[in-house]
């Protein structure tokens, strides 16, 4: 019998927990989706199905989030009958090489320290990881004011 099913927008056991797509942009970890059985811990249950999803250099957090949501629905639709009738057995996760992210981890990333040295790639990745549609969560402080930034990326020179 099917038990409780969780849709997790990460390629488990990588990026268990909060905002997996943000962490993939920041650290280059594999992006993907997993359909798994809920157990007593966060995102550690046996996996029925999972697929990798390519993270593009033009992706902001919103772009990859939308693609992951679409893919997780496709993976679920493709596998639900087999999960429901018990013909697809979930595979236990090997948590070695996996990681877990707490909800508050990204707050520290949002502050762009104007005195800190970043590589171009690090700064671009922070900005695209913290740009979600019309919202920009990254900021710097100037004259005691928070100034928020949002990044748009394109392979064309015009938007």
């Amino acid at each position: 019998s099917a038990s409780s099913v969780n849709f997790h927008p990460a390629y488990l056991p990588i990026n268990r927990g909060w905002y997996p797509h943000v962490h993939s942009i920041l650290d280059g970890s594999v992006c993907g989706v997993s359909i798994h059985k809920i157990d007593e811990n966060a995102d550690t249950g046996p996996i029925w199905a999972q697929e990798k999803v390519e993270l593009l250099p033009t992706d902001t957090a919103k772009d990859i989030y939308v693609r992951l949501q679409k893919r997780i629905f496709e993976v679920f639709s493709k596998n639900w009958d087999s999960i429901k009738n018990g013909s697809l057995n979930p595979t236990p996760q090997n948590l070695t090489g996996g990681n877990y992210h707490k909800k508050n981890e990204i707050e520290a990333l949002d502050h762009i320290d104007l005195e800190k040295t970043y590589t171009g790639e690090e700064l671009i990745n922070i900005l695209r990881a913290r740009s979600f549609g019309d919202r920009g969560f990254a900021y710097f402080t100037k004259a005691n004011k928070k100034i928020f930034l949002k990044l748009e990326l394109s392979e064309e020179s015009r938007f």
Side-chain angles (χ1 to χ4, degrees):
S1 71
S3 30
S4 297
V5 175
N6 188 38
F7 291 33
H8 190 67
Y11 196 76
L12 294 173
I14 298 163
N15 293 333
R16 291 181 293 113
W18 292 86
Y19 311 117
H21 59 293
V22 170
H23 293 287
S24 288
I25 293 172
L26 292 169
D27 63 20
S29 55
V30 172
C31 250
V33 298
S34 303
I35 310 286
H36 73 91
K37 194 173 180 173
I38 293 179
D39 67 7
E40 64 280 357
N41 297 309
D43 304 321
T44 57
I47 296 169
W48 277 295
Q50 62 182 171
E51 284 184 17
K52 291 180 180 174
V53 175
E54 186 185 6
L55 178 66
L56 304 172
T58 51
D59 283 337
T60 62
K62 171 95 187 256
D63 299 321
I64 188 62
Y65 176 84
V66 168
R67 228 167 38 256
L68 289 166
Q69 295 302 312
K70 186 171 182 273
R71 181 69 61 85
I72 210 161
F73 179 76
E74 291 166 358
V75 171
F76 175 74
S77 300
K78 194 165 58 182
N79 291 284
W80 174 237
D81 285 342
S82 301
I83 292 170
K84 193 170 54 176
N85 70 27
S87 65
L88 181 62
N89 290 316
T91 306
Q93 287 187 53
N94 175 359
L95 299 179
T96 308
N99 58 336
Y100 174 83
H101 291 287
K102 294 200 270 298
K103 189 174 186 179
N104 65 359
E105 279 181 47
I106 57 172
E107 291 167 18
L109 300 167
D110 286 343
H111 179 241
I112 306 294
D113 183 346
L114 298 179
E115 301 302 313
K116 183 179 169 188
T117 301
Y118 300 86
T119 67
E121 187 174 30
E122 286 170 334
L123 192 54
I124 287 168
N125 284 344
I126 291 169
L127 294 177
R128 70 190 189 113
R130 301 306 291 136
S131 296
F132 197 91
D134 292 335
R135 302 218 35 208
F137 294 95
Y139 67 91
F140 63 92
T141 307
K142 200 79 172 174
N144 291 324
K145 287 189 169 77
K146 275 186 180 181
I147 312 296
F148 289 87
L149 302 96
K150 159 180 84 123
L151 192 62
E152 289 183 53
L153 303 111
S154 169
E155 289 185 16
E156 300 294 321
S157 62
R158 60 196 179 310
F159 285 93

